[in-house]
Amino acid sequence: MSMESVRQFFSSQALDITIIELTVSTATVAEAAAAHGVEAGRIAKTLAFRLNDGREVILVARGDARIDNRKFKDAFGKGKMLPPEEVEAITGHPVGGVCPFGLARELPIYLDVSIQAFDEVLPAAGAVHSAVRISPQRLREITTGQWVDVCQAFA
């Protein structure tokens, strides 16, 4: 049902975005990069966090990025990544298919500036074998996400 919620989200917004469905798993960054024939950085991984003040937020970052603890704390305060068993209940998407579209409930969405290094990124589309191709700017517009800088810098 998760990929269906993404389809419904795109339809409700009259978006002409094609969901790419593959027969192989794209649940990890490495699997997704290999399946789509792109570098790992172009995979837009979507992470779910619970902040110490109780808020839950979604963060989209480049696939090869690592969270910089100091930057994260400066942007959000303290927080922890949600355990896998809570992710689907909160987002409506299974781990490996989590994306910022068609969420089970409204959640604040943040986009790490690291994805701006690419003209096109590939976030999942609600299933462990799905993705969409989208520019970082269009991703921000569609999700009304806010830009943040919480990942380690790339050389």
Side-chain angles (χ1 to χ4, degrees):
M1 184 61 183
S2 183
M3 196 162 50
E4 186 56 36
S5 71
V6 174
R7 279 195 183 93
Q8 290 171 3
F9 174 80
F10 290 162
S11 177
S12 73
Q13 307 256 337
L15 299 172
D16 60 343
I17 298 174
T18 301
I19 295 176
I20 303 163
E21 293 183 69
L22 301 175
T23 57
V24 297
S25 174
T26 57
T28 68
V29 169
E31 288 173 342
H36 293 287
V38 299
E39 61 192 287
R42 284 189 184 270
I43 303 303
K45 63 183 174 185
T46 303
L47 308 170
F49 291 89
R50 179 171 294 118
L51 306 180
N52 279 9
D53 64 8
R55 290 181 299 146
E56 291 151 344
V57 300
I58 297 294
L59 174 69
V60 180
R62 60 186 280 160
D64 57 359
R66 297 181 73 107
I67 301 295
D68 181 301
N69 292 331
R70 168 57 45 204
K71 288 180 175 182
F72 186 93
K73 188 176 177 185
D74 289 348
F76 299 113
K78 289 186 178 182
K80 292 194 181 233
M81 199 174 307
L82 287 173
E85 59 273 10
E86 291 184 44
V87 171
E88 188 166 4
I90 289 167
T91 66
H93 305 310
V95 171
V98 178
C99 63
F101 319 112
L103 295 167
R105 61 184 166 98
E106 198 168 319
L107 293 166
I109 297 171
Y110 295 90
L111 308 170
D112 189 78
V113 296
S114 63
I115 66 171
Q116 293 176 349
F118 304 103
D119 60 338
E120 180 180 77
V121 293
L122 288 95
V128 297
H129 61 281
S130 67
V132 298
R133 290 181 176 268
I134 191 167
S135 74
Q137 187 56 37
R138 188 157 190 223
L139 179 61
R140 192 211 61 76
E141 291 165 3
I142 290 168
T143 63
T144 64
Q146 295 179 43
W147 291 113
V148 292
D149 182 3
V150 296
C151 290
Q152 294 175 359
F154 284 83

